Amino acid sequence: MTDPKTGPVIDDDMRMIVEDARLSFVATVCPDGSPNLSPKGSMRVRDDEHIAFMDIASPGTMANLAHDNRIEINSIDFMRRRGYRFKGTAEFREPGDEVYEWLHSWLLDLNGPGYPAHRAVLVHVDRVLPVLSPAYTFGGADERTLSQAWARTYGLPGAQA
């Protein structure tokens, strides 16, 4: 639920970054205390306080979350060179649960039938921190110019010279 004093934890810009990034990174803590970082291509914003992703092929991440449910998700728009760090706690949602079914339906629409989906992970977001390239802070860059420069770097169609 949204706090009327502070507004939503996850705002429209954050939603856009998560959707546009197409690939986010999840940090968990291994039982020995070491970090684990894993890419996730199924990241979706559920509502103003939750992000979800599917366990497609993530035995290490799932084992770590079963041991310690603290999580950080980094979603970065690599063209804009900015994004967000979402910190929170995770819980598993099994087939039949509404979160699982919502995410599974999206995953199958995106990838076709038969795509593996063992369970969903629903993350309650407690804190969000921005991630900005130093080019904004120290280089005086604006988003449009920076995006065009990286489009040229990656050789993407439509990049202005």
Side-chain angles (χ1 to χ4, degrees):
M1 178 183 258
T2 301
D3 182 335
K5 290 181 246 167
T6 60
V9 175
I10 302 170
D11 66 23
D12 288 341
D13 187 63
M14 295 170 197
R15 287 175 185 270
M16 183 266 307
I17 292 288
V18 170
E19 298 297 321
D20 287 354
R22 296 292 208 190
L23 185 65
S24 296
F25 293 86
V26 168
T28 57
V29 180
C30 297
D32 67 1
S34 63
N36 180 69
L37 186 65
S38 181
K40 304 293 177 218
S42 60
M43 198 67 61
R44 300 290 314 272
V45 174
R46 174 73 173 161
D47 57 36
D48 289 351
E49 295 183 356
H50 296 91
I51 295 178
F53 64 92
M54 194 61 80
D55 171 14
I56 297 169
S58 304
T61 299
M62 296 305 116
N64 291 344
L65 290 173
H67 173 76
D68 184 338
N69 72 342
R70 293 176 298 162
I71 189 169
E72 180 172 314
I73 299 165
N74 279 231
S75 293
I76 308 295
D77 183 313
F78 75 99
M79 297 298 290
R80 293 181 180 112
R81 296 311 231 220
R82 68 181 188 85
Y84 294 96
R85 296 169 55 184
F86 301 95
K87 293 178 172 282
T89 52
E91 61 182 77
F92 299 130
R93 297 296 182 94
E94 303 297 332
D97 179 272
E98 70 178 275
V99 172
Y100 175 93
E101 298 304 329
W102 163 75
L103 192 56
H104 189 233
S105 175
W106 173 82
L107 188 68
L108 293 180
D109 286 347
L110 186 66
N111 296 299
Y115 209 79
H118 305 294
R119 58 184 154 182
V121 177
L122 182 66
V123 177
H124 181 268
V125 176
D126 299 314
R127 184 176 181 201
V128 182
L129 299 168
V131 176
L132 286 174
S133 167
Y136 289 109
T137 308
F138 303 111
D142 63 82
E143 190 170 294
R144 183 174 172 268
T145 304
L146 202 55
S147 293
Q148 288 176 349
W150 283 103
R152 284 191 306 275
T153 298
Y154 288 110
L156 298 176
Q160 297 177 357

